[in-house]
Every structure is written in structure tokens, then in C-alpha cells.
Amino acid sequence: AQSVAQPEDQVNVAEGNPLTVKCTYSVSGNPYLFWYVQYPNRGLQFLLKYITGDNLVKGSYGFEAEFNKSQTSFHLKKPSALVSDSALYFCAVRDRNDYKLSFGAGTTVTVRA
Amino acid sequence: DVKVTQSSRYLVKRTGEKVFLECVQDMDHENMFWYRQDPGLGLRLIYFSYDVKMKEKGDIPEGYSVSREKKERFSLILESASTNQTSMYLCASSLRWGTDTQYFGPGTRLTVL
């Protein structure tokens, strides 16, 4: 079985401050990890993924995420948040030996000007 | 760019009606998926298809069926719509299994009265 936890329903930050969205996962084997973003009334947009190799993954719009195997975490980060980063963020995991992608419940990010 | 389109953005149906949700992808992807998105629950997989005429149940297939007669098109069918099927429905596709990213359509917000 595999699962994802996003412990914060909401994250509020001021524009220009660092942004972190937390994600922890559970899989029986080795994970593939993904971050998606959803803007209001839109589908999910792919941000970045970890497959193998360097634990720090860089993605779209200045976002990055760090894979930490010992803590089973894959937190999303952005050094300087923008108001336009306000959206719903989803973390997802797939066991390398499985077909199914499991999503977290999502974290709503609000960046205030 | 990958483009996944869904036939309707908003749909209102009555209890007991048969409902068809259509999804089309234009990148010759092998795999297609149907999810439903509910607040606080993230995305849950209803069905997926890894080839024409092939389908597998996801986590919540009850009350749904699917059809994939052509590679680019994947239909979700609600045989007899019920109010608890009111939700956002998201279609996704990916090139193949393995490391490939799933790309999402804009979603269909279905309301069953």
C-alpha cells in the first residue's frame, strides 16, 4: 500500500518570503514522487518529479523539492514566493513496481502582497 | 505540449440519468486515467486504461464504467447518476508506465440534482 500525507491544509506567507509545502509518503518499495499545482477552476499542472539521482529536484516557476529517504519526505520549496503562487498544491507518490499514483489531500497556499 | 481536453467544464444532471464524460488526448499516450477530486480527499483514481479496450479498476470504481475504443479517447460513464457523484472529474494521460508524468485535463465539475 502507498499513501501521501500533506500535514498542512493551508500555508500563508508574505510575498518575497520563502515558501515550504510539506509532504511525507509511505511506499513498500522505492518511490517516484511528484508535485502538481492547481489554479482555481483549472486542471492540475505538473511542477516537478523525483525519479532517481540528485535528491534536490528543480522544476517549473522557480520551485524545487528535496527527497529525503530517511524521513520519507518530499517537501516543496520556493525561495521567494509570489502572489501568483497562490494555489492548491498536491504531492503524489507511486511505487516503482505499481501503476497507481496516490495523491495527498492538498495544501492551499496563500501569498499575501 | 501535451493537450488533454474534456468535453464539458460544467455539467448538471438529474438523479438516475446516464452521464457520459469524454476525454481526448492528442499525444499518442498509451495510458489514460479518470479521477474524482473532492475537498479534503485529494484525487482518487476511478479507472485507468493502458491500451485500447483495456481497463483496470482504481480505488473507487463503484457506480462508474469506462470505455476506450480509440487510443486518444477515454470515456467515463455514470450508468445512473446519484447525488453522491457530484464532484470534480479529472482526466489524465501518460506516455507509458515507468517514470512518465501524468498530464491532466481542465476538469469537469458535475452536479447531480
Side-chain angles (χ1 to χ4, degrees), chain B residues 80-92:
Chain B
S80 178
S82 63
T83 55
N84 62 12
Q85 293 178 309
T86 292
S87 186
M88 170 71 90
Y89 290 87
L90 293 168
C91 176

Side-chain angles (χ1 to χ4, degrees), chain A residues 32 34 36 38 40-46 49 51 88 90 94 96 98-106, chain B residues 9-10 33 35 37 40-43 45 48 57 59 88 90 97-107:
Chain A
Y32 295 146
F34 301 81
Y36 287 86
Q38 186 179 37
N41 299 314
R42 303 278 295 275
L44 272 67
Q45 294 181 31
F46 168 71
K49 65 182 177 184
I51 302 300
L88 181 57
F90 289 100
R94 183 163 75 81
R96 295 185 185 196
D98 201 348
Y99 59 85
K100 197 172 66 173
L101 192 60
S102 295
F103 286 83
Chain B
R9 293 300 303 274
Y10 300 93
F33 308 82
Y35 295 88
Q37 179 183 1
L41 297 178
L43 277 70
L45 181 65
F48 75 98
K57 293 179 180 179
D59 294 322
M88 170 71 90
L90 293 168
W97 297 126
T99 63
D100 285 334
T101 300
Q102 290 185 23
Y103 293 93
F104 285 80

Side-chain angles (χ1 to χ4, degrees), chain B residues 59-77:
Chain B
D59 294 322
I60 52 165
E62 297 78 19
Y64 304 94
S65 62
V66 291
S67 173
R68 193 170 180 198
E69 297 295 321
K70 293 184 178 181
K71 191 173 186 178
E72 68 271 17
R73 188 179 297 270
F74 192 36
S75 302
L76 180 69
I77 303 156

Side-chain angles (χ1 to χ4, degrees), chain B residues 5-47:
Chain B
T5 58
Q6 296 184 229
S7 51
S8 305
R9 293 300 303 274
Y10 300 93
L11 208 54
V12 179
K13 295 292 181 181
R14 298 237 173 241
T15 301
E17 281 192 78
K18 191 169 186 175
V19 182
F20 292 87
L21 302 182
E22 304 285 338
C23 175
V24 177
Q25 49 93 4
D26 67 354
M27 287 300 292
D28 202 34
H29 282 181
E30 292 181 359
N31 306 314
M32 296 188 75
F33 308 82
W34 275 107
Y35 295 88
R36 64 177 280 175
Q37 179 183 1
D38 300 289
L41 297 178
L43 277 70
R44 293 178 291 168
L45 181 65
I46 304 172
Y47 269 97

